[in-house]
Amino acid sequence: MQARNTGQAIRFALLFALGSAALLTAPQAPAGAPVDLQLLPVQGNVYLITGLDVNVTVQVGDQGVLLVDTPPAALVPQVAEMLRPLSRRPIRYVINTHADAAHIGGDEAILQLGSTPAALANMRRMGIAAGGTGGGGLMILGHENVLNRITDRTQPAIPGATITSEYYQPSKDFFVNGDAVVVYHAPNAHTDGDSIVYFRRADVISTGDLFTPGRFPEIDLERGGSIQGLINAVNHIIQLTVPAAYQERGTYVVPGHGRLCDEADVVEFREMITIVRDRVQDLIRQGKTLAEVQAARPTLDYDTTYGGPRGGPTAEAFVATVFQSLKSPPQGAE
């Protein structure tokens, strides 16, 4: 992000730069040892847990803790303890942005955490109902396509993943911890079950793997992903964001991986994937094969920014995915 224009903005930039460094170098701790996690304020009552391979968004308030995606099962107790100073209430809500194991592998561990006798007794003391959603009142929400992936017995199981509530409309909204939380389905994007989570009052958006600054996006063609659906989803994120002065700050965007961002970062990412799509499409119209398209290096001017040791697919793999998506888009994709 560009240099901030106020002291507060500079503080946020430095804070999140430190958090980003933790994200780019995932800790390698011995089994059972605590991992160096950090809880960074984003805006309003929304926070970001760093030190994990993926970003976990946290909202806190009198109604309990809400997580967007979950940490690995082994780290759930550590995360719960880390959140305790922010809220005496338990984890009550989880939103799964998609069905990747790295993002939802802690679901069952959180469900079990909420079902312990001590947790249930604590909820009764605070007058919190424990029925209706399972797991001591815990709601784990995802799009119905995420539920379909988790329950598909013809495919390998996703360790630690579960769903207690699904939605199937274009969006779902509910009010929790003094904020309107709106969950939008992004069809045929990274997968066919992606969700954008918008905390309206806090003005924070959590995107899952629809937006990955500093790395080329992963598009899972086998699970209904497509380059055009991804572009549509990123355009929707841009429609929801509003920048502050000089295109800085304003709506904050928490990506699935990497640093905290604002609208300008999302626009740059959208331009990259759109330009690469157009270049690959032009080469396809010229009758080029995949090998010829890759040899033309349609990502060349983006390789130093989005390639390299930041995770995600290589430039060659990204081009191959775009090529295949344009040649054979998933059924129902625009």
Side-chain angles (χ1 to χ4, degrees):
M1 301 171 81
Q2 300 174 7
R4 304 303 189 186
N5 295 281
T6 67
Q8 181 183 16
I10 292 172
R11 171 181 170 271
F12 274 106
L14 292 173
L15 184 61
F16 292 118
L18 291 173
S20 300
L23 287 168
L24 294 176
T25 55
Q28 301 293 326
V35 175
D36 185 17
L37 303 180
Q38 296 183 53
L39 187 65
L40 304 181
V42 178
Q43 200 156 245
N45 60 345
V46 176
Y47 296 78
L48 168 64
I49 298 176
T50 70
L52 301 166
D53 178 53
V54 301
N55 287 333
V56 174
T57 307
V58 180
Q59 185 219 42
V60 298
D62 292 338
Q63 292 176 267
V65 176
L66 182 154
L67 302 181
V68 181
D69 291 335
T70 55
L75 295 181
V76 165
Q78 183 179 342
V79 167
E81 186 66 27
M82 183 173 62
L83 296 175
R84 198 177 306 280
L86 291 179
S87 176
R88 294 170 50 208
R89 305 282 174 141
I91 299 171
R92 292 288 313 283
Y93 308 91
V94 171
I95 302 174
N96 288 334
T97 59
H98 56 292
D100 283 8
H103 290 258
I104 64 176
D107 288 358
E108 288 184 357
I110 291 175
L111 193 66
Q112 294 168 6
L113 187 72
S115 300
T116 62
L120 293 174
N122 188 45
M123 292 173 70
R124 284 193 293 271
R125 282 196 299 270
M126 294 188 290
I128 301 174
T133 55
L138 175 65
M139 178 185 78
I140 303 179
L141 175 69
H143 187 265
E144 65 173 347
N145 288 338
V146 175
L147 177 63
N148 293 340
R149 303 289 177 197
I150 292 174
T151 57
D152 185 357
R153 300 310 177 198
T154 67
Q155 300 295 323
I158 303 174
T162 190
I163 289 282
T164 67
S165 182
E166 81 279 0
Y167 75 99
Y168 56 89
Q169 297 289 344
S171 65
K172 179 180 179 63
D173 55 69
F174 54 99
F175 200 85
V176 60
N177 292 328
D179 203 345
V181 181
V182 188
V183 184
Y184 297 99
H185 178 221
N188 301 116
H190 165 59
T191 66
D192 59 6
D194 295 286
S195 293
I196 300 166
V197 184
Y198 180 29
F199 299 93
R200 199 161 67 183
R201 177 169 292 176
D203 201 17
V204 176
I205 298 172
S206 189
T207 71
D209 280 353
L210 296 171
F211 168 54
T212 52
R215 60 171 70 183
F216 290 117
E218 293 188 24
I219 302 173
D220 194 329
L221 301 178
E222 293 185 358
R223 294 191 294 170
S226 69
I227 182 61
Q228 187 56 53
L230 183 66
I231 292 171
N232 294 342
V234 176
N235 279 330
H236 188 190
I237 294 168
I238 293 170
Q239 289 174 354
L240 296 172
T241 56
V242 179
Y246 306 105
Q247 294 296 309
E248 296 289 345
R249 299 168 44 242
T251 306
Y252 278 116
V253 180
V254 180
H257 306 263
R259 60 186 174 83
L260 188 72
C261 296
D262 56 21
E263 185 189 65
D265 301 296
V266 185
V267 169
E268 289 179 1
F269 182 82
R270 189 269 311 274
E271 297 305 294
M272 182 272 293
I273 59 176
T274 302
I275 289 171
V276 172
R277 178 208 59 185
D278 291 347
R279 289 172 176 172
V280 173
Q281 183 67 77
D282 182 62
L283 292 167
I284 290 174
R285 288 171 180 158
Q286 296 176 35
K288 303 293 187 182
T289 65
L290 173 57
E292 290 171 330
V293 170
Q294 290 174 318
R297 302 187 66 183
T299 64
L300 178 61
D301 43 344
Y302 295 111
D303 287 351
T304 56
T305 302
Y306 294 94
R310 301 178 181 86
T314 64
E316 292 78 10
F318 176 50
V319 169
T321 302
V322 173
F323 180 91
Q324 295 164 15
S325 176
L326 292 173
K327 294 281 283 188
S328 302
Q331 185 176 3
E334 296 182 8

